[in-house]
């Protein structure tokens, strides 16, 4: 694509002129005149651009139009080390023509070009052309006002709303009123109205949404709805996992939110594994994160009362539970994963198009930010038909690896010889909490359950060391003789004691025998 050149005034300093050029990859702004040479040129990568708009200000006598582009580049933090996404706005005044309309048209031409090129940056990821037109569009945002420290709505007002507007994302906000409200809404919703379902909460609300989608009679289509996560909970494990997969360094809760908002605006969709969980009453649930019994499950639930501490609630809960460490007796068995993931357990064909952009649907009335571009492109806008659509027929929710609970397991399963555990934890994403990298080599859609268990006999100090090491993912079995890590496709746990806690994705479920099987890439997640 050819480079666009223009000379505009910097807004705020009309006397400062800028030579602006737009290449395929960058917006380069060169300040003209007597600005010190060191500071007079900025090059912003279009990969970091979420949107651009053209508009006129209220003053009718002024014929100028304005152009503003919004970037969230990774920058060095103000405090501490490492990088975080920080907002940068570039705003110009265009007044080359006397006719206001002509200036606006010129600004619109630029805005449109910036948006198209920002999107195209990601179209060619891994050499695969993902779509010609890309725009995240109509999102349903489900906000849990009680999640985490109870600040979700403030975080929406302070960060999310502005970002989505900058990106031209139309969204409707629903504030959940109680537990299971989101699940019920999603179960009944007209999904054709939404291009993505986004939760602003912790992992618990996503658990509701996924199970709501799978409750539906049209679940096969429903579960293909792209899901997004804006972390506001005390447990933001999936958000932290997405960042880990993208190679991003550990960030604070607020930085994690901004970064997730950025990913949402970029709208790249990946597949995500789900695990089907069977409880003794016959109830079946779908899980995207974890299944836990023992120390981890107890800490998760007992630390609910410290939720106003945010993510620190788990550390606090862990110290309390360590002081009264106990054993959990039961039977554990699993179906090992073999090296070849395509021969076992994979219900979906494994092609290379694991990324799909959210496509813009025809929408005559868009956010005013983007009217100019839409008029050019809405006719071309369409849902992307990529190889994924053919996967639907091959997708199955039936659990072929699992006999009924209570029935004997096939000979291909491994029965763990120990029956005394400190914890049993099945993970299918890397993070157990924002700062607990429990399964460092997990990925979003590998079709593997990482099964960890800690055998009885571990000292308090060794268990504490294990969790401290987990912050960096350094808790490998070689450094702790009581820890076992194995990759499995399915597992069964049968606790012996009549009472206890089992959690799925951090939520308490019915206690008793439980078994689970992984379904590779069953869901869609907006991620890096
Ligand atoms: P956190 O990470 O802070 O625990 P979650 O998203 O996991 O946040 O939500 C915690 C629980 O709150 C979940 O069980 C969810 O179903 C429930 N919930 C959702 N909306 C509400 C609400 N309005 N009031 C109370 N609980 C809610
Ligand atoms: Mg939770």
């Amino acid at each position: 694509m050819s480079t666009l050149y223009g000379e505009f005034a910097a807004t705020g300093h009309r006397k400062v002129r800028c030579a602006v050029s737009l290449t395929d990859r960058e917006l380069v702004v060169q300040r003209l005149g007597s600005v010190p040479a060191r500071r007079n040129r900025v090059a912003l990568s279009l990969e970091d651009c979420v949107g651009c708009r053209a508009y006129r200000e209220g003053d009718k006598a002024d014929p100028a139009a304005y152009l503003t582009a919004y970037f969230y580049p990774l920058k060095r933090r103000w405090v501490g080390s490492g990088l975080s996404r920080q907002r940068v706005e570039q705003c110009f005044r265009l007044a080359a023509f006397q006719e206001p309309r002509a200036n606006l048209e010129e600004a619109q031409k630029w805005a449109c070009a910036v948006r198209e090129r920002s999107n195209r940056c990601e179209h060619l990821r891994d050499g695969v052309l993902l779509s010609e037109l890309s725009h995240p569009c109509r999102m349903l945002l489900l906000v849990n006002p009680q999640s985490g420290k109870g600040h979700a709505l403030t975080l929406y007002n302070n960060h999310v709303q502005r970002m989505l507007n900058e990106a031209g994302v139309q969204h409707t906000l629903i504030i959940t009123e109680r537990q299971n409200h989101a699940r019920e809404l999603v179960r009944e919703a007209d999904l054709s109205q939404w291009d993505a379902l986004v939760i602003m909460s912790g992992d618990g609300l996503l658990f509701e949404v996924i199970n709501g989608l799978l409750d539906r009679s049209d679940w096969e289509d429903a579960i293909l709805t792209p899901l997004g996560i804006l972390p506001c909970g005390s447990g933001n494990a999936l958000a932290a996992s997405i960042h880990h997969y993208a190679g991003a360094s550990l960030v604070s809760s607020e930085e994690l939110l901004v970064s997730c908002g950025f990913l949402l605006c970029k709208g790249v969709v990946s597949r995500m594994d789900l695990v089907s969980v069977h409880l003794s009453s016959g109830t079946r649930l779908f899980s995207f994160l974890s299944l836990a019994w023992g120390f981890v499950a107890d800490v998760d639930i007992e630390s609910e009362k410290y939720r106003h501490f945010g993510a620190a609630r788990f550390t606090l809960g862990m110290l309390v539970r360590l002081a009264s460490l106990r054993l959990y007796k039961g039977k554990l068995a699993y179906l090992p994963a073999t090296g070849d993931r395509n021969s076992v357990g994979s219900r979906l064909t494994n092609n290379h198009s694991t990324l799909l952009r959210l496509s813009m649907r025809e929408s005559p009335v868009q956010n005013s930010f983007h009217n100019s571009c839409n008029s050019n492109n809405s006719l071309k806008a369409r849902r992307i038909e990529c190889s994924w659509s053919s996967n639907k027929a091959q997708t199955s929710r039936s659990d072929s690896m699992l006999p009924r609970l209570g029935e004997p397991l096939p000979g291909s399963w491994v029965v763990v010889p120990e029956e005394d555990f400190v914890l049993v934890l099945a993970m299918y994403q890397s993070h157990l909490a924002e700062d607990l990298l429990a399964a460092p080599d997990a990925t979003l859609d590998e079709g593997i359950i990482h099964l960890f268990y800690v055998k009885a006999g571990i000292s308090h100090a060794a268990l504490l060391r294990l969790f401290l090491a987990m912050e960096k993912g350094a808790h490998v079995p070689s450094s702790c003789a009581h820890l076992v890590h194995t990759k499995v496709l399915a597992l069964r746990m049968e606790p012996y004691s009549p009472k206890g806690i089992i959690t799925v994705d951090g939520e308490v479920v019915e206690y008793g025998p439980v078994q689970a099987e992984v379904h590779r890439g069953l869901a869609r997640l907006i991620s890096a």
Side-chain angles (χ1 to χ4, degrees), residues 202-204 234-235 300 304 307 313 505-507:
D203 298 305
S234 47
D300 200 351
E304 284 279 343
R307 71 166 45 247
R313 91 179 213 207
D505 299 350
E507 301 293 302

Side-chain angles (χ1 to χ4, degrees), residues 186-187 189 191 212-213 215-224:
V186 166
R187 197 186 285 151
L191 295 176
L213 290 173
D215 284 341
R216 298 167 61 107
S217 57
D218 65 346
W219 67 268
E220 268 179 304
D221 281 317
I223 198 62
L224 298 179

Side-chain angles (χ1 to χ4, degrees), residues 276 278 291 331-337 344 399-417 449 451 486 488-494 514-518:
S276 147
H278 293 254
L291 167 65
K331 212 151 119 187
L332 176 65
Y334 59 84
L335 179 64
V344 205
D399 294 319
S400 63
M401 294 178 243
L402 298 176
R404 278 174 192 282
L405 259 178
E407 282 179 10
L409 292 166
S412 50
W413 285 58
V414 174
V415 179
V416 173
I449 297 173
L451 177 63
T486 179
V488 311
L489 300 174
L491 70 131
R492 181 186 280 181
M493 298 187 309
E494 293 168 274
V514 54
Q515 60 181 14
E517 166 175 339
V518 66

